[in-house]
Amino acid sequence: MTDKKTYTLPLGSTPPNFRLKGTDGKYYSLSHFAHAKALVIFFTCNHCPYVIGSDEITRQTAEKYRDHGAVFVGINSNSAITYPEDSFPKMIERMEKHHFPWIYLWDDTQETAKDYGALRTPHFFVFDSNHRLIYTGRGIDSPKDASKMTVNDLDNALDDYFHHKPLRKPLTNPIGCNVKWEGKDKHWMPDDACDLI
């Protein structure tokens, strides 16, 4: 039987490097975030209802921990051929409209998504100040309709980390649309890929 955890980065991993273009026109790699006390890399996009439904909660979490030294980096790896709404120009439009408190990067080759094992949009990876993965999975338990949220696992992880406590739940299953892979059906994803726990 296939190890279900091989699809995505295991806890304790270091973040794979990248060089990706942001909606501000600049290129970013991991070295730009070396100062982060916590680095939250999350795979997101423009169109997904799970992203749209939870972005404001993600915004609140990013703003809550910004003064603690948390840095949020969103990455869109969806194929614009498979889903034109996820094109780079549409990314720019979305950031200009919403002014989210994170850097928004374009993974046009999808290599970064493969390196991290991005499974859904959104899918969060939290790294500590030593760039070790301490949390991965969902942001909240009801991303499509945040009004039904009962737990914010991303906030809990950051709260535990910044209070020097063991994380109450370091691993959760991401909830959302699958990454739209080039040359694959819009809904392609191995059956057990997101069953991490």
Side-chain angles (χ1 to χ4, degrees):
M1 190 169 111
T2 302
D3 181 355
K4 295 177 181 180
K5 296 178 179 61
T6 59
Y7 291 112
T8 193
L9 283 182
L11 293 170
S13 299
T14 55
N17 201 7
F18 50 77
R19 185 176 184 272
L20 301 175
K21 188 177 184 179
T23 53
D24 59 3
K26 300 175 184 177
Y27 282 85
Y28 292 87
S29 62
L30 279 178
S31 62
H32 289 90
F33 313 113
H35 66 285
K37 300 297 184 187
L39 177 60
V40 181
I41 294 175
F42 64 106
F43 290 82
T44 183
C45 64
N46 300 327
H47 84 279
C48 172
Y50 296 89
V51 168
I52 293 169
S54 60
D55 261 344
E56 289 305 314
I57 302 296
T58 305
R59 180 201 299 275
Q60 291 170 20
T61 304
E63 291 175 345
K64 178 178 178 180
Y65 294 100
R66 180 167 48 199
D67 289 344
H68 293 269
V71 175
F72 278 59
V73 179
I75 299 176
N76 175 23
S77 300
N78 278 0
S79 168
I81 294 174
T82 305
Y83 223 105
E85 185 64 25
D86 286 322
S87 69
F88 187 65
K90 293 289 188 181
M91 290 172 59
I92 295 173
E93 287 179 17
R94 194 153 194 267
M95 286 299 280
E96 288 177 345
K97 179 179 179 181
H98 295 286
H99 302 286
F100 291 123
W102 50 77
I103 294 165
Y104 194 14
L105 304 179
W106 185 38
D107 178 23
D108 59 321
T109 67
Q110 302 190 306
E111 287 303 315
T112 302
K114 292 173 185 174
D115 287 345
Y116 280 74
L119 300 175
R120 298 289 191 206
T121 53
H123 186 174
F124 294 86
F125 297 81
V126 180
F127 299 89
D128 65 13
S129 58
N130 296 314
H131 280 189
R132 293 289 177 180
L133 184 64
I134 59 170
Y135 173 80
T136 185
R138 67 193 185 188
I140 62 176
D141 63 341
S142 180
K144 197 171 185 180
D145 183 357
S147 69
K148 297 179 180 177
M149 174 182 73
T150 63
V151 63
N152 186 335
D153 290 290
L154 177 63
D155 186 282
N156 286 346
L158 290 167
D159 183 68
D160 289 340
Y161 169 65
F162 282 117
H163 284 93
H164 309 289
K165 299 177 180 178
L167 269 63
R168 65 196 86 171
K169 189 181 284 188
L171 184 66
T172 60
N173 291 327
I175 302 172
C177 302
N178 65 283
V179 174
K180 302 299 184 275
W181 298 104
E182 189 87 23
K184 298 284 188 182
D185 178 79
K186 289 180 180 180
H187 302 289
W188 176 85
M189 178 62 68
D191 288 342
D192 62 350
C194 292
D195 187 12
L196 304 180
I197 57 175

